[in-house]
Amino acid sequence: MTSRKRQAPDPLLPMRSAKYQRTEENQGIWNRWRQLGTDTFTLSYETVRLGCLSLMNCVSQVATQQPEKPNQTGSLPSQATYSALPPRLPIPEEFHKDSQPVAGRSRLSSSLQSHSESSNALNGNGNSPPSTLTGHTSVTPVPSTSKGYVQNSQSYDFIGSSAHGRGVVGGIRPRRSRDHIYAHVHRAKVQEDRKKDREELVQDLFHYKRSTGYTSDFDSFKSLINYQARLEILERHALSPSPSLTDLRVKSSPGHSRRHSFSDDVDPDFLERALRKARKSFELPPPKPFSPSHDRLRLSARHRDEAIEKRLRPKLPKALPPDADTQVNALLCKKGVISKVARESVNDRDLSRLLPSQWLNDEIMNFYGAMILTRSESKRDPNAKRKTLDVHYFSTFFWPKLKNEGYEQGRLAKWTKKIDIFSKDVILIPINHNNSHWTGAAINFRRKRIESYDSMNLDRHQVFKALRSYLDSEHRNKRKKPFDFTGWHNHNPEDTPQQENGYDCGVFTCQFLESLSRGEEEFHFSQRDMSYLRRRMIWEIGHAKFLDGP
């Protein structure tokens, strides 16, 4: 392919004609800018004039103390104002040829027409006042950020823009308040100081607790403080559980930890109260000297005998035997259903709740209760090594029915259709408070008392009240007469083992109920035994039987 040069233009030849000829519609750039300036000046003049007329009308109405009925639109001039204005020239027809606004048309011109039509329709006037704008308006178009321009009925209003819409009240624009340039620095400093003060309070409280027998580390103590603060809020104000609290009934992955972190729920007031309570125990005056009486000596001798018996009783070991520990690891590696007893079953996700720093769910609690009930029903077996009582175990769904619906509405009479609870030694009841804390309760017919065992040592008067009401209703339903509470009392021992973190309440509750089923009056485990007891419960649930030994 041969290339050839382009010939140079001949300067003697005539130039190419203009693309757009100067016509009446196309006046050139200078005439268009002059027309734009004229339209802008006319628009500004009309806006100022209408604003002055509206202000004069308002002043005259206030002076005569005859307020005019407010217009429905709240932003348009009144009919009297329209009548006082000179007639307006109509907008040229060429701006209404298309149904949709073109790129060269301003939103302002469309708003004029739509607003004048809507105002006349509201005022009942079919003839709209003509516009005073001369010629066509060629204001610079507003670029659209949406798919299309706003319809005429929803367009902007340059004349009737409400004073309230601009924040003007009574003709005075409110002063806009601004933050100081160092406001965010100040707020950050305040938050940092509060955090330091709270950490110092927690450190002081931790030292006091350590001096009174607390054995866990500082992280566990912070978890305990956070847990106590949340339980106190739920108990004091009877609030529903917060969404931030972990649901005990929600399935979770085996590796997910239920351990509480130290959050903002622990306010300084709570820490101050706890610190004052701890200091008060050190500020008590020394006991006065006294001469012991005979009863006092007998009580002291009994305590001494109990201490000797406690030392002779075998303590809980720190770990399982090697073969049992290997079986526990194998159970944790299994998938699907792990074990079944009666109507209860446990799968691998439920069993993972017994790993450290995990809350127990309903499946673990009910499975352990079914094991207790099965052992009690086979107590006549001569080969049984442990002495057990004749007990009955209610599932974890008994307490919500009793508390929220009552005996009749909850249809609790059907729960004991095939059994007679008044012939039992002990009735065991696990209780979930506000879906955030496990405790154990018992109706002890042998001792004639209603018992509550809480590893947080909180007030549980509502438990005693509800269980007394249940006993009376059950006795009326089955025996057709009120229950005789003569000699019965509430039992809430102060020496109940206490947890030192925010996640071991379920393990404590299971051990409370298991010990009560064997007739134990005292509990021989503490916080330091939780690691061993969790591994032991995995073995017991995996084999659906209790491990022999302490």
Side-chain angles (χ1 to χ4, degrees):
M1 178 177 179
T2 58
S3 60
R4 58 181 181 179
K5 294 184 179 179
R6 185 178 56 182
Q7 295 182 359
D10 191 355
L12 300 179
L13 293 178
M15 299 296 291
R16 187 177 59 178
S17 60
K19 187 176 181 180
Y20 300 101
Q21 299 295 331
R22 298 283 179 90
T23 60
E24 196 171 314
E25 289 80 9
N26 187 15
Q27 297 294 333
I29 187 64
W30 172 251
N31 292 333
R32 286 200 296 259
W33 276 104
R34 184 176 60 183
Q35 184 64 36
L36 176 61
T38 304
D39 293 341
T40 304
F41 175 77
T42 305
L43 180 62
S44 304
Y45 172 74
E46 291 295 332
T47 304
V48 174
R49 190 164 67 113
L50 287 176
C52 294
L53 289 176
S54 300
L55 183 59
M56 292 173 62
N57 189 17
C58 295
V59 172
S60 62
Q61 289 180 3
V62 172
T64 56
Q65 295 184 356
Q66 294 180 357
E68 186 182 354
K69 185 177 180 181
N71 198 354
Q72 295 181 0
T73 60
S75 62
L76 298 178
S78 62
Q79 186 66 25
T81 305
Y82 275 125
S83 61
L85 295 177
R88 297 180 180 177
L89 295 178
I91 298 177
E93 293 292 336
E94 60 186 13
F95 285 88
H96 306 288
K97 292 179 181 180
D98 301 330
S99 58
Q100 297 294 334
V102 296
R105 185 187 299 177
S106 171
R107 294 187 189 181
L108 190 57
S109 61
S110 61
S111 65
L112 285 173
Q113 178 187 4
S114 62
H115 190 68
S116 61
E117 292 174 359
S118 61
S119 62
N120 291 323
L122 291 173
N123 295 330
N125 186 8
N127 301 323
S128 63
S131 174
T132 58
L133 296 177
T134 60
H136 62 276
T137 306
S138 58
V139 184
T140 304
V142 180
S144 174
T145 57
S146 59
K147 293 182 179 180
Y149 285 99
V150 183
Q151 299 296 329
N152 291 340
S153 59
Q154 299 176 353
S155 57
Y156 296 98
D157 184 9
F158 78 100
I159 296 176
S161 58
S162 155
H164 297 284
R166 297 191 302 268
V168 180
V169 180
I172 302 176
R173 186 183 298 273
R175 186 175 182 180
R176 184 182 303 174
S177 60
R178 295 183 179 178
D179 292 339
H180 195 270
I181 57 175
Y182 292 111
H184 65 285
V185 179
H186 174 70
R187 284 193 292 266
K189 179 64 175 177
V190 170
Q191 293 295 334
E192 184 180 356
D193 292 343
R194 289 179 179 176
K195 185 177 180 180
K196 290 182 179 179
D197 294 341
R198 187 174 59 183
E199 289 291 342
E200 291 178 359
L201 290 174
V202 174
Q203 287 284 354
D204 294 343
L205 185 58
F206 176 69
H207 292 319
Y208 275 105
K209 289 293 184 179
R210 292 285 289 185
S211 60
T212 56
Y214 187 82
T215 57
S216 299
D217 56 357
F218 184 65
D219 292 335
S220 299
F221 180 73
K222 291 195 295 184
S223 172
L224 175 66
I225 291 297
N226 188 23
Y227 192 52
Q228 285 179 340
R230 292 188 178 185
L231 291 181
E232 181 177 325
I233 293 174
L234 291 175
E235 293 296 330
R236 185 189 304 170
H237 303 288
L239 299 176
S240 59
S242 172
S244 61
L245 289 179
T246 306
D247 192 349
L248 298 182
R249 295 181 172 88
V250 173
K251 306 291 184 181
S252 66
S253 58
H256 182 66
S257 176
R258 297 288 179 184
R259 187 167 185 168
H260 284 289
S261 59
F262 189 61
S263 63
D264 293 336
D265 293 337
V266 183
D267 55 351
D269 294 336
F270 173 79
L271 295 175
E272 288 287 352
R273 291 195 303 270
L275 196 56
R276 285 197 300 268
K277 186 183 298 184
R279 289 172 178 171
K280 187 177 180 180
S281 61
F282 286 92
E283 296 174 357
L284 293 176
K288 298 180 180 179
F290 67 98
S291 57
S293 60
H294 178 66
D295 295 336
R296 184 72 180 181
L297 292 175
R298 289 180 56 189
L299 183 62
S300 177
R302 189 177 68 179
H303 287 335
R304 186 169 56 254
D305 294 340
E306 291 177 355
I308 295 174
E309 183 182 357
K310 186 176 181 180
R311 287 197 299 268
L312 294 177
R313 184 183 296 111
K315 296 182 180 180
L316 292 177
K318 294 183 180 181
L320 291 172
D323 55 343
D325 196 69
T326 304
Q327 295 175 6
V328 168
N329 295 330
L331 288 172
L332 292 175
C333 295
K334 291 179 64 176
K335 300 295 181 182
V337 178
I338 303 298
S339 181
K340 292 182 179 180
V341 59
R343 297 182 178 179
E344 305 294 335
S345 63
V346 168
N347 56 27
D348 57 321
R349 292 176 298 178
D350 300 326
L351 198 67
S352 65
R353 297 296 188 101
L354 287 169
L355 292 174
S357 305
Q358 299 275 341
W359 271 352
L360 304 191
N361 59 2
D362 294 90
E363 284 74 16
I364 295 294
M365 304 294 292
N366 291 330
F367 193 96
Y368 210 71
M371 291 173 55
I372 295 174
L373 189 58
T374 302
R375 184 181 63 179
S376 175
E377 292 174 352
S378 61
K379 68 176 183 177
R380 295 184 179 90
D381 186 3
N383 297 325
K385 296 183 179 181
R386 286 191 176 187
K387 179 183 177 182
T388 58
L389 303 179
D390 186 9
V391 302
H392 180 72
Y393 182 91
F394 281 125
S395 70
T396 57
F397 306 105
F398 173 81
W399 176 253
K401 284 278 186 181
L402 177 62
K403 181 183 178 183
N404 301 328
E405 301 179 19
Y407 184 82
E408 297 295 339
Q409 187 176 357
R411 307 176 69 180
L412 294 178
K414 291 188 175 182
W415 286 56
T416 56
K417 189 176 181 179
K418 298 182 180 180
I419 61 172
D420 181 17
I421 64 171
F422 301 102
S423 62
K424 303 291 182 179
D425 294 329
V426 180
I427 307 298
L428 304 176
I429 306 168
I431 298 178
N432 187 342
H433 297 275
N434 298 316
N435 198 27
S436 57
H437 183 54
W438 288 109
T439 64
I443 303 175
N444 196 331
F445 290 98
R446 297 170 64 237
R447 304 292 182 181
K448 286 189 175 183
R449 64 192 186 191
I450 299 176
E451 305 169 351
S452 176
Y453 301 96
D454 186 359
S455 59
M456 295 292 291
N457 201 21
L458 299 177
D459 184 20
R460 299 301 177 193
H461 63 278
Q462 75 276 9
V463 174
F464 300 123
K465 182 179 178 180
L467 292 182
R468 282 178 178 270
S469 176
Y470 169 76
L471 268 181
D472 186 67
S473 300
E474 178 72 11
H475 201 270
R476 290 175 184 270
N477 183 275
K478 298 297 191 296
R479 305 288 177 88
K480 308 303 179 184
K481 61 180 180 179
F483 185 79
D484 184 14
F485 285 100
T486 304
W488 282 72
H489 63 280
N490 300 333
H491 182 64
N492 187 14
E494 296 181 356
D495 58 347
T496 303
Q498 300 294 293
Q499 66 185 88
E500 297 181 358
N501 51 46
Y503 43 82
D504 279 335
C505 54
V507 182
F508 274 89
T509 301
C510 288
Q511 297 306 314
F512 290 153
L513 301 180
E514 195 277 331
S515 299
L516 292 174
S517 68
R518 293 187 282 105
E520 293 285 344
E521 295 292 334
E522 296 180 355
F523 305 111
H524 309 292
F525 58 88
S526 63
Q527 177 65 51
R528 67 184 64 185
D529 302 316
M530 287 298 106
S531 179
Y532 163 75
L533 290 175
R534 282 180 178 268
R535 304 279 293 181
R536 175 173 175 169
M537 288 179 64
I538 294 176
W539 188 96
E540 292 174 342
I541 291 176
H543 293 80
K545 65 177 182 180
F546 290 97
L547 186 65
D548 295 332

